[in-house]
Amino acid sequence: MATPLLDTTATRAAVPTGGTVPLISVVLPCFDEEDVLAETLSRLSAMAAAQSGVRFEFVFVDDGSRDRTAAILRDAAARDDRIRLLRFARNFGQQIAVTAGIELAQGDAVVLMDADLQDPPEVVARMVDLWRDGFDVVYGTRSSRRADSLVKRVTARMFYATINRLSEVPIPSDTGDFRLMSRRVVDVLRQMPERHRFIRGMVSWVGFRQTQVPYERPERFAGNTKYPLRKMIRFAADGILSFSIKPLQLSIALGLLAASLALIGIGYALFMRIFTSTWVEGWTALMIAVLFMGGVQLLCLGILGEYVGRIYSEVKRRPLYVIAEKLGFDEPPRE
Ligand code: UDP
Ligand code: MG
């Protein structure tokens, strides 16, 4: 059970002190990524080989893939003891997959990275350097969105403008989940049991020293996006509704506006009824008032419903995910 006051002073500082070589965990959620994994694995190996003074473990979370993803990862885990595989019983979504990876990662720092090489492994070196300088969170910022479609660019901009207007914690725009987090940030994240997870917002909420590294975001190496519009809308809704109750306040404002308009309308109708003799018009006004009030009420009800639905799924307290297979987690990380 999470305590309301979270004291992290007893846990480790940003960078461990003492003689041991720090361990970096890289967490990669994968959903039907058979086309990219071979390349991802070799790029990760090359990246790890190019770095001295740190050890790596690679935590792959297979989010219910229907293709050969699990087979490829099992094979890789058999050959490389830094590779760990966690396989879900079904598709639970990227944010949940990342959560499971964080849960099992043992590193002194944890890096979240997409499996499709849109988050270049080479950037991790710069993140590790900044972590050694004492930063707790180093997030990758897209220096350009050239690889994204126009629709994605426009909607992303609208989304970040909205969420930053509504949310109490600032959420950096042009930032995905690609980031490095220190152990103490990870430990705080692990105490946040919420079910509708918007990880980049949750990390901002934690605080500590956070910084960014700009990088050029390439196109997906192979395969198709696993984020159709439907999933993207859900994700955006999770972001906004989990980090703000302002939409509820918006419904109060709308209600007030509608009520004041109604008052004016009532005054007008009464005046006309009492002081004029030929009062037959008004059907239009009536229709407008009814439709407007109906619309506002439905909107407010909808907003309310979204929050009630969230309360409902939180109180059920189901586990966040179901694990079907765990591979490579008992081996001690390689020295
Ligand atoms: N992903 C996942 N579960 C899902 C959807 C996506 O684990 O339900 C993973 C996917 O395999 C990839 C990452 O999340 O490693 C980002 O997905 P994708 O590249 O398809 O999203 P995009 O870059 O197009 O926004
Ligand atoms: Mg991608």
Side-chain angles (χ1 to χ4, degrees), residues 198-249:
F198 183 62
I199 297 201
R200 56 198 78 164
M202 292 163 67
V203 174
S204 290
W205 180 88
V206 173
F208 292 121
R209 283 184 77 199
Q210 310 208 353
T211 190
Q212 50 175 321
V213 282
Y215 72 100
E216 190 76 32
R217 188 165 167 90
E219 275 184 57
R220 176 178 252 286
F221 176 74
N224 295 320
T225 177
K226 307 300 178 300
Y227 267 94
L229 187 65
R230 179 177 51 81
K231 263 192 192 170
M232 217 138 77
I233 291 173
R234 272 260 59 95
F235 181 64
D238 273 346
I240 290 170
L241 297 176
S242 313
F243 275 85
S244 172
I245 54 163
K246 290 220 180 96
L248 285 174
Q249 291 156 355

Side-chain angles (χ1 to χ4, degrees), residues 75-212:
D75 204 44
R79 278 182 280 115
D80 187 339
D81 62 4
R82 296 170 301 178
I83 294 177
R84 313 182 185 329
L85 166 63
L86 186 68
R87 190 164 61 81
F88 280 175
R90 64 168 172 86
N91 179 251
F92 281 89
Q94 182 209 5
Q95 299 289 302
I96 303 287
V98 167
T99 302
I102 290 174
E103 209 60 51
L104 289 180
Q106 295 175 33
D108 300 297
V110 176
V111 176
L112 311 181
M113 185 192 279
D114 286 357
D116 62 357
L117 292 173
Q118 284 196 288
D119 302 334
E122 296 71 30
V123 177
V124 172
R126 276 147 68 201
M127 292 182 167
V128 170
D129 284 346
L130 284 161
W131 171 64
R132 285 180 182 284
D133 289 345
F135 285 101
D136 282 274
V137 177
V138 186
Y139 48 83
T141 313
R142 296 154 196 192
S143 50
S144 86
R145 279 182 169 270
R146 237 173 298 146
D148 286 341
S149 68
L150 183 70
V151 177
K152 180 124 188 193
R153 264 180 287 177
V154 172
T155 51
R157 175 166 306 178
M158 272 164 43
F159 170 67
Y160 281 107
T162 314
I163 196 162
N164 274 314
R165 193 161 254 259
L166 296 180
S167 150
E168 291 99 62
V169 286
I171 293 164
S173 50
D174 289 327
T175 304
D177 287 326
F178 187 27
R179 60 189 60 217
L180 176 148
M181 300 174 290
S182 68
R183 175 44 60 182
R184 59 178 176 182
V185 170
V186 170
D187 284 342
V188 177
L189 269 191
R190 291 180 48 176
Q191 303 241 2
M192 295 166 80
E194 59 222 66
R195 155 164 317 275
H196 297 276
R197 306 182 77 80
F198 183 62
I199 297 201
R200 56 198 78 164
M202 292 163 67
V203 174
S204 290
W205 180 88
V206 173
F208 292 121
R209 283 184 77 199
Q210 310 208 353
T211 190
Q212 50 175 321

